[in-house]
Amino acid sequence: MTRDAPSTRFERQRKRSVESSTLIEGLPGLGMVASIAVDQITTQLGLEQYGAITSDDFPPSAAFSDGRVRDAVRVYAGESPAVMTLQSDVAIPPTATESLSRCVLDDLSEEFDDAVFLAGAPARSEDQVGSVIGVATSERFERELTDAGITLAEGTGVVGGVTGALLADCYHADIPAAVLVVRTNPYIPDPRAAHAVIENALEPLVAFDIDTQELLEQAEEIQRQKQQLAEQLQQYQQQAGEQQRQPSMPGMYQ
């Protein structure tokens, strides 16, 4: 009896000499904060595409950039600093959440020591945009968040969507991980919140230096580029009955 092929697969496209890295997740979510921030990190660090994730659960589509077709869900990697990023040009439907998370843990976990995930929470005022709190899977990562000046979340809450699935799977697999929850504009892609989470949380936590000024200078263009992705994500949430009223912290983040 033959086993069915997994519905979601990682396809490695090149070799790398670094055996361990920090994985930073940049999948589409509220405010497109993760997507915008990790796009900037990948570009600034000159990370090269390491592989792609394909899935029968992803919507049929062809992603492209500057007139050239590319993989929709990609993994990038670099050696100095040793960072991997997970990015997507398509919103991940709820039906693909579990299989994508399991693929990352099954096919990539031996190549990263720890992981940082990003989630958005609606800002209740302009002053809240860009504020960050952290949730860790281990005592060691709690200390690292605190040492980086990141406030730990108080009380109880839930991280949903694919980010929540990845965080939970890392927790059960004893992989040190943390999610950075950033307050963002819930209605449009928010480069300002992405700028803040890089400058105030990711840089001190991961120890790299990213120039984020162009996120502010090109805010309108970035918003235009990410708007279709934001609308696709909202449509999935509505179809799945997951559309939430703006939560207060603690609450549902994704």
Side-chain angles (χ1 to χ4, degrees), residues 92-125:
I92 305 301
T95 52
T97 293
E98 182 178 356
S99 65
L100 175 58
S101 181
R102 291 313 313 164
C103 173
V104 171
L105 269 290
D106 291 344
D107 296 346
L108 280 168
S109 62
E110 292 185 359
E111 300 186 46
F112 59 87
D113 288 331
D114 48 38
V116 179
F117 307 117
L118 303 176
R124 293 190 292 265
S125 68

Short mmCIF file of all heavy atoms in Angstrom, two decimals, residues 92-125:
data_model
loop_
_atom_site.label_atom_id
_atom_site.label_comp_id
_atom_site.label_asym_id
_atom_site.label_seq_id
_atom_site.Cartn_x
_atom_site.Cartn_y
_atom_site.Cartn_z
N ILE A 92 -3.33 32.98 2.42
CA ILE A 92 -3.44 31.55 2.73
C ILE A 92 -4.87 31.26 3.19
O ILE A 92 -5.31 31.78 4.21
CB ILE A 92 -2.44 31.14 3.82
CG1 ILE A 92 -1.01 31.55 3.43
CG2 ILE A 92 -2.53 29.64 4.07
CD1 ILE A 92 -0.51 30.95 2.14
N PRO A 93 -5.61 30.43 2.46
CA PRO A 93 -7.00 30.13 2.86
C PRO A 93 -7.02 29.29 4.13
O PRO A 93 -6.07 28.55 4.42
CB PRO A 93 -7.55 29.35 1.67
CG PRO A 93 -6.36 28.76 1.00
CD PRO A 93 -5.24 29.72 1.22
N PRO A 94 -8.10 29.38 4.91
CA PRO A 94 -8.19 28.59 6.14
C PRO A 94 -8.00 27.09 5.91
O PRO A 94 -7.46 26.40 6.78
CB PRO A 94 -9.59 28.90 6.65
CG PRO A 94 -9.90 30.25 6.10
CD PRO A 94 -9.25 30.29 4.75
N THR A 95 -8.39 26.60 4.75
CA THR A 95 -8.26 25.17 4.47
C THR A 95 -6.80 24.74 4.32
O THR A 95 -6.50 23.55 4.39
CB THR A 95 -9.02 24.81 3.19
OG1 THR A 95 -8.60 25.69 2.13
CG2 THR A 95 -10.53 24.95 3.38
N ALA A 96 -5.89 25.70 4.12
CA ALA A 96 -4.47 25.36 3.93
C ALA A 96 -3.63 25.62 5.17
O ALA A 96 -2.44 25.31 5.19
CB ALA A 96 -3.90 26.16 2.76
N THR A 97 -4.25 26.16 6.21
CA THR A 97 -3.50 26.56 7.41
C THR A 97 -2.76 25.38 8.04
O THR A 97 -1.55 25.45 8.29
CB THR A 97 -4.45 27.18 8.44
OG1 THR A 97 -4.95 28.42 7.92
CG2 THR A 97 -3.75 27.43 9.75
N GLU A 98 -3.45 24.30 8.29
CA GLU A 98 -2.85 23.16 8.98
C GLU A 98 -1.76 22.52 8.14
O GLU A 98 -0.67 22.22 8.63
CB GLU A 98 -3.92 22.13 9.33
CG GLU A 98 -3.37 20.94 10.10
CD GLU A 98 -4.45 19.93 10.48
OE1 GLU A 98 -5.64 20.20 10.22
OE2 GLU A 98 -4.10 18.87 11.04
N SER A 99 -2.03 22.31 6.86
CA SER A 99 -1.05 21.62 6.01
C SER A 99 0.20 22.47 5.80
O SER A 99 1.31 21.95 5.75
CB SER A 99 -1.67 21.23 4.67
OG SER A 99 -2.03 22.37 3.90
N LEU A 100 0.04 23.79 5.70
CA LEU A 100 1.20 24.66 5.53
C LEU A 100 2.07 24.63 6.78
O LEU A 100 3.31 24.51 6.71
CB LEU A 100 0.77 26.09 5.23
CG LEU A 100 1.88 27.13 5.15
CD1 LEU A 100 2.90 26.77 4.09
CD2 LEU A 100 1.31 28.52 4.90
N SER A 101 1.44 24.72 7.94
CA SER A 101 2.19 24.69 9.19
C SER A 101 2.95 23.38 9.35
O SER A 101 4.13 23.36 9.70
CB SER A 101 1.25 24.91 10.37
OG SER A 101 1.96 24.91 11.59
N ARG A 102 2.29 22.27 9.07
CA ARG A 102 2.94 20.97 9.19
C ARG A 102 4.09 20.84 8.20
O ARG A 102 5.14 20.25 8.52
CB ARG A 102 1.94 19.82 8.96
CG ARG A 102 0.89 19.67 10.04
CD ARG A 102 1.47 19.69 11.44
NE ARG A 102 2.66 18.84 11.60
CZ ARG A 102 3.50 18.94 12.60
NH1 ARG A 102 3.33 19.84 13.54
NH2 ARG A 102 4.53 18.12 12.69
N CYS A 103 3.94 21.39 7.01
CA CYS A 103 5.01 21.36 6.02
C CYS A 103 6.24 22.10 6.53
O CYS A 103 7.37 21.60 6.42
CB CYS A 103 4.52 21.97 4.70
SG CYS A 103 5.81 22.17 3.45
N VAL A 104 6.04 23.29 7.09
CA VAL A 104 7.16 24.06 7.62
C VAL A 104 7.88 23.28 8.72
O VAL A 104 9.11 23.19 8.76
CB VAL A 104 6.68 25.43 8.15
CG1 VAL A 104 7.81 26.15 8.90
CG2 VAL A 104 6.18 26.30 7.00
N LEU A 105 7.11 22.68 9.63
CA LEU A 105 7.73 21.93 10.73
C LEU A 105 8.39 20.65 10.24
O LEU A 105 9.49 20.29 10.68
CB LEU A 105 6.68 21.62 11.79
CG LEU A 105 6.50 22.62 12.93
CD1 LEU A 105 7.70 22.60 13.86
CD2 LEU A 105 6.26 24.03 12.41
N ASP A 106 7.75 19.93 9.32
CA ASP A 106 8.29 18.65 8.86
C ASP A 106 9.50 18.81 7.94
O ASP A 106 10.46 18.05 8.03
CB ASP A 106 7.20 17.86 8.12
CG ASP A 106 6.10 17.36 9.04
OD1 ASP A 106 6.31 17.36 10.28
OD2 ASP A 106 5.03 16.99 8.53
N ASP A 107 9.45 19.81 7.06
CA ASP A 107 10.46 19.92 6.01
C ASP A 107 11.55 20.95 6.29
O ASP A 107 12.61 20.91 5.65
CB ASP A 107 9.80 20.28 4.67
CG ASP A 107 8.86 19.20 4.18
OD1 ASP A 107 8.90 18.08 4.72
OD2 ASP A 107 8.06 19.47 3.26
N LEU A 108 11.31 21.87 7.22
CA LEU A 108 12.27 22.95 7.41
C LEU A 108 12.79 23.10 8.83
O LEU A 108 13.77 23.80 9.06
CB LEU A 108 11.63 24.29 6.99
CG LEU A 108 11.58 24.59 5.50
CD1 LEU A 108 10.67 25.78 5.23
CD2 LEU A 108 12.97 24.85 4.96
N SER A 109 12.16 22.46 9.81
CA SER A 109 12.50 22.74 11.21
C SER A 109 13.94 22.38 11.56
O SER A 109 14.52 22.98 12.48
CB SER A 109 11.54 22.01 12.15
OG SER A 109 11.63 20.61 12.00
N GLU A 110 14.55 21.45 10.85
CA GLU A 110 15.94 21.11 11.14
C GLU A 110 16.90 22.20 10.68
O GLU A 110 18.09 22.17 11.00
CB GLU A 110 16.31 19.78 10.47
CG GLU A 110 15.59 18.57 11.08
CD GLU A 110 16.06 17.26 10.47
OE1 GLU A 110 16.91 17.31 9.56
OE2 GLU A 110 15.58 16.20 10.92
N GLU A 111 16.39 23.17 9.93
CA GLU A 111 17.24 24.22 9.38
C GLU A 111 17.09 25.55 10.10
O GLU A 111 17.74 26.52 9.73
CB GLU A 111 16.96 24.37 7.89
CG GLU A 111 17.21 23.08 7.11
CD GLU A 111 17.06 23.26 5.61
OE1 GLU A 111 17.59 24.25 5.08
OE2 GLU A 111 16.40 22.43 4.98
N PHE A 112 16.23 25.63 11.10
CA PHE A 112 16.18 26.85 11.91
C PHE A 112 16.16 26.50 13.39
O PHE A 112 15.54 25.53 13.81
CB PHE A 112 15.01 27.77 11.51
CG PHE A 112 13.63 27.17 11.63
CD1 PHE A 112 12.92 27.22 12.82
CD2 PHE A 112 13.01 26.60 10.52
CE1 PHE A 112 11.64 26.69 12.92
CE2 PHE A 112 11.73 26.08 10.60
CZ PHE A 112 11.04 26.13 11.81
N ASP A 113 16.87 27.33 14.17
CA ASP A 113 16.97 27.13 15.62
C ASP A 113 15.77 27.68 16.35
O ASP A 113 15.37 27.18 17.39
CB ASP A 113 18.22 27.82 16.18
CG ASP A 113 19.50 27.11 15.78
OD1 ASP A 113 19.45 25.87 15.60
OD2 ASP A 113 20.53 27.77 15.64
N ASP A 114 15.25 28.79 15.83
CA ASP A 114 14.11 29.43 16.44
C ASP A 114 13.33 30.18 15.37
O ASP A 114 13.77 30.30 14.23
CB ASP A 114 14.55 30.37 17.58
CG ASP A 114 15.69 31.28 17.18
OD1 ASP A 114 15.72 31.74 16.02
OD2 ASP A 114 16.57 31.54 18.01
N ALA A 115 12.15 30.66 15.75
CA ALA A 115 11.27 31.30 14.77
C ALA A 115 10.61 32.51 15.39
O ALA A 115 10.29 32.53 16.59
CB ALA A 115 10.22 30.31 14.28
N VAL A 116 10.39 33.53 14.56
CA VAL A 116 9.67 34.73 14.96
C VAL A 116 8.51 34.92 14.00
O VAL A 116 8.70 34.98 12.78
CB VAL A 116 10.57 35.98 14.94
CG1 VAL A 116 9.77 37.21 15.36
CG2 VAL A 116 11.78 35.79 15.86
N PHE A 117 7.30 34.98 14.55
CA PHE A 117 6.10 35.17 13.75
C PHE A 117 5.52 36.55 14.01
O PHE A 117 5.76 37.15 15.08
CB PHE A 117 5.07 34.08 14.09
CG PHE A 117 5.61 32.69 13.98
CD1 PHE A 117 5.70 31.86 15.10
CD2 PHE A 117 6.07 32.20 12.76
CE1 PHE A 117 6.21 30.57 15.00
CE2 PHE A 117 6.59 30.92 12.65
CZ PHE A 117 6.67 30.10 13.77
N LEU A 118 4.79 37.08 13.06
CA LEU A 118 4.22 38.41 13.16
C LEU A 118 2.70 38.34 13.02
O LEU A 118 2.19 37.65 12.14
CB LEU A 118 4.78 39.33 12.08
CG LEU A 118 6.31 39.49 12.05
CD1 LEU A 118 6.73 40.34 10.87
CD2 LEU A 118 6.81 40.10 13.34
N ALA A 119 2.00 39.04 13.89
CA ALA A 119 0.54 39.07 13.84
C ALA A 119 0.07 40.51 14.03
O ALA A 119 0.71 41.29 14.74
CB ALA A 119 -0.07 38.17 14.91
N GLY A 120 -1.05 40.84 13.41
CA GLY A 120 -1.61 42.18 13.55
C GLY A 120 -2.78 42.20 14.51
O GLY A 120 -3.51 41.23 14.65
N ALA A 121 -2.94 43.34 15.19
CA ALA A 121 -4.11 43.60 16.03
C ALA A 121 -4.58 45.01 15.71
O ALA A 121 -3.75 45.92 15.55
CB ALA A 121 -3.76 43.48 17.51
N PRO A 122 -5.88 45.23 15.59
CA PRO A 122 -6.38 46.55 15.21
C PRO A 122 -6.00 47.63 16.22
O PRO A 122 -6.18 47.45 17.43
CB PRO A 122 -7.90 46.37 15.17
CG PRO A 122 -8.11 44.90 15.01
CD PRO A 122 -6.98 44.25 15.74
N ALA A 123 -5.45 48.74 15.74
CA ALA A 123 -5.16 49.88 16.60
C ALA A 123 -6.46 50.62 16.89
O ALA A 123 -7.28 50.82 16.01
CB ALA A 123 -4.16 50.81 15.92
N ARG A 124 -6.63 51.02 18.15
CA ARG A 124 -7.83 51.74 18.53
C ARG A 124 -7.66 53.26 18.39
O ARG A 124 -8.62 54.01 18.52
CB ARG A 124 -8.23 51.38 19.95
CG ARG A 124 -8.68 49.92 20.11
CD ARG A 124 -9.29 49.68 21.49
NE ARG A 124 -8.31 49.79 22.54
CZ ARG A 124 -7.66 48.75 23.07
NH1 ARG A 124 -7.88 47.53 22.59
NH2 ARG A 124 -6.79 48.92 24.04
N SER A 125 -6.41 53.69 18.14
CA SER A 125 -6.13 55.11 17.93
C SER A 125 -4.85 55.22 17.11
O SER A 125 -4.09 54.25 16.98
CB SER A 125 -5.97 55.84 19.27
OG SER A 125 -4.79 55.39 19.93
#
